[in-house]
Structure formats: structure tokens, C-alpha cells
Amino acid sequence: MKKKIIAAVLILAVLATVGIAVYAISRDKDNNSSVGGEKSTEGETTSTNSSQPDSFIPDQSYVGEWYTDENPPDDLTIYEISSEFIKFETGLYRLFGFEAIAIQEDGEWKFGDGISPDYEGPSMLKGRLQFDENSVTVIYDDFGDFAQNNIQPNIYRFTIKNNDAKDTEPIDDQNRIIGKYTCVSDYCNNNLKDYPEYLPYITFNDDGTCEMLVYYIGGSTLLPGTYMIEDNKIFVEVDPSGTPVDGIDESGIPYMDDKYVFTITDYDHITIGSVEGAYFNGCYVAHNGDPFVRQ
């Protein structure tokens, strides 16, 4: 009898050991299955988190002129806001200015060379617009051609808004182009660099008047004139009366045109051009497209 009891106890012990082993194996399988599930879930979560958030679309209250007391006289003008784009104009005083369209990209409002449609601002420049409750921030991620200027800072926050500027056209900011611009074309650099008195230039004054030095065969003369700014164009009209370039030739063509249009590349660089109906391709040695640089 005693032997039967011992045998029964041994059988129960063996069964208990087998049961524990089976449970452990089953638990390991469950754990492995659970770990695999967590990885799959994590993968799905990562995929969900990698999707970009919707961009914040500012309302029409942001349309208008913005200023900053940190970096005057820099300014920002927002002309139009839609769900697809933001049309604006900004720049850094005495360095560059441009008009561009910001579009939604990677959840942000981005602008610049290769991003903005029909972009004509500084080459390789790129940046972003950020909208807060009472301000708009312009962030320059790359100053492009102006990177060599070591511009600091690269973030400009505009907090002062002119509420009367809604739905306005681009501003005519004469203060930004006041100064003397000298022609630096290949011809001028190669032939007139030793004769500064003959170098063509134009000076813009703060009262809307200007003076343009014209170099012609035989000498040079200074012409008075007036100008007005529209978008990135400077429309100039000079008066050659009483100067050597006043008059007409035998075929009835004047010695020179009296109207020109300069294109603002940035506030230190402009190019000369002719208006519609002009007789000549520029003004004597300053041909259409020739660059002028502020001195």
C-alpha cells in the first residue's frame, strides 16, 4: 500500500512538471506573438505620425502692411491669401526686396527660388512664412546669392500692422532706392573704368526727381528728370532740352529717348530698359539689360 501511494505521488509530480512546461511554452508563444503585434502596431503608428499636418491657413485679417520695431525700416506686405497660396512682398533694407508667392509644402508656407511660381527674386533664396495670433514671421532658410553677406539674423518677426493697407497695390517706397546707381556693363568696365566722368549713372532723390549722366560720342552730359515706382519697376523721364543730346536727326529720329524703365533686381541692383515705342535699345552705351549698381 505504501508503495502504491509513493507511486501515485510520483505520477502526480511528473504530471505537474509536464503541465508547467507546457504552460511555459504556451506563454512564450503568446509573448512572441504579442511582441510581433507590438512591432506591427509601432510600424503603423510611425506611418501615421510621418504624415504631414495640414497647414494653417490664415484669414483675411493678415492682408495688409506689417512692420517691425526690431529691424526698421524692413516691412512685409501681404496682398492676397487663399487656401492654395499667399502673395506677399518683403525684403531687407538696402540689400534686396522681392515679391513672391508662398505655397503649402511639408505642412508649411514656403517661398523662394524653385518654390514660388514665376519667382523673380534673389537667386537661390528660400524661406518660410509663419503666422501667429498677432504677428507674421519671415524665416530665411537660405539667403542664396546674398549668403556671402553673412546676414544676421535670418528670422524677422513683424508685429505692427497697418489696418488701412488691406487690398492695396504694391507700395511705392522711394526711400529704398534713393542713391546713385552706376552702370557696370562689360563695355563700361572695359572702356570707361579709367574715365569715371564718362561712366553712365542715375541718381534717385527722395522728392521724386533724378539725374542721369549720359555718355555719348564726344562727351557726357547730365540730364534732369523725374521717376515713379510701380511694383519692381522704376519709370524714368528725363529732359534733354538745351544739352548736346537734344534734337532730331535728318530722318526725324531724336538723338535719344526721353523715357526709360529700370527693373529692380534688389535695392542695390537695377537694370535699364526701354519703354514701349522707344527708338533705341537703351541709352547710348547703356543698352537694355545692362546692370547698374548702387554706390
Side-chain angles (χ1 to χ4, degrees):
M1 181 67 178
K2 185 175 181 180
K3 291 181 178 180
K4 291 181 179 180
I5 292 174
I6 293 173
V9 170
L10 290 174
I11 291 172
L12 289 174
V14 170
L15 291 176
T17 301
V18 171
I20 292 171
V22 170
Y23 173 76
I25 293 172
S26 175
R27 184 175 182 183
D28 286 342
K29 288 183 178 180
D30 289 340
N31 286 341
N32 290 335
S33 175
S34 174
V35 170
E38 288 176 3
K39 289 182 179 179
S40 174
T41 302
E42 289 176 357
E44 293 174 0
T45 302
T46 301
S47 175
T48 301
N49 290 339
S50 64
S51 62
Q52 298 297 328
D54 293 334
S55 296
F56 168 67
I57 300 177
D59 58 35
Q60 298 303 311
S61 67
Y62 288 92
V63 173
E65 296 175 4
W66 291 81
Y67 302 92
T68 171
D69 53 8
E70 296 178 356
N71 298 284
D74 295 336
D75 57 33
L76 165 69
T77 303
I78 297 178
Y79 298 121
E80 186 176 354
I81 294 175
S82 74
S83 60
E84 299 178 350
F85 67 87
I86 298 173
K87 183 178 180 181
F88 69 98
E89 182 181 9
T90 191
L92 299 184
Y93 181 63
R94 295 187 70 85
L95 283 177
F96 59 80
F98 62 94
E99 183 177 312
I101 291 176
I103 61 173
Q104 295 188 59
E105 187 175 289
D106 298 331
E108 297 181 286
W109 290 103
K110 296 186 177 183
F111 64 85
D113 197 358
I115 301 174
S116 300
D118 302 321
Y119 177 77
E120 296 182 352
S123 176
M124 304 303 293
L125 183 144
K126 293 179 175 62
R128 292 167 285 152
L129 296 180
Q130 288 187 355
F131 295 85
D132 297 311
E133 184 176 356
N134 296 308
S135 65
V136 184
T137 303
V138 179
I139 303 172
Y140 293 99
D141 297 310
D142 191 338
F143 282 111
D145 287 347
F146 289 89
Q148 61 185 356
N149 292 51
N150 296 320
I151 303 171
Q152 293 293 337
N154 70 317
I155 299 176
Y156 297 84
R157 187 165 177 256
F158 297 90
T159 58
I160 306 169
K161 185 172 184 293
N162 179 2
N163 292 321
D164 297 329
K166 293 184 179 181
D167 302 322
T168 60
E169 292 297 321
I171 57 174
D172 297 344
D173 190 356
Q174 292 181 343
N175 290 328
R176 293 198 172 198
I177 57 106
I178 291 174
K180 177 182 177 181
Y181 294 77
T182 301
C183 186
V184 292
S185 66
D186 290 341
Y187 177 87
C188 290
N189 288 337
N190 294 331
N191 298 281
L192 300 177
K193 63 180 180 180
D194 295 327
Y195 306 95
E197 67 273 18
Y198 293 145
L199 271 176
Y201 70 80
I202 184 166
T203 300
F204 298 106
N205 304 313
D206 59 5
D207 60 356
T209 62
C210 62
E211 298 87 32
M212 187 164 75
L213 183 81
V214 176
Y215 170 68
Y216 60 95
I217 302 302
S220 64
T221 185
L222 190 63
L223 307 179
T226 58
Y227 72 95
M228 62 174 293
I229 304 172
E230 184 176 335
D231 296 340
N232 66 329
K233 306 292 185 182
I234 309 172
F235 294 91
V236 172
E237 183 173 358
V238 294
D239 181 11
S241 299
T243 70
V245 293
D246 183 19
I248 58 176
D249 62 19
E250 295 178 353
S251 60
I253 297 177
Y255 292 157
M256 65 169 285
D257 292 307
D258 61 355
K259 294 182 177 66
Y260 301 89
V261 56
F262 289 82
T263 300
I264 302 173
T265 304
D266 57 68
Y267 292 118
D268 283 330
H269 302 80
I270 61 178
T271 58
I272 190 172
S274 298
V275 299
E276 185 177 354
Y279 289 99
F280 302 102
N281 177 31
C283 181
Y284 286 95
V285 298
H287 298 157
N288 286 350
D290 281 351
F292 285 64
V293 174
R294 175 153 40 188
Q295 303 302 301

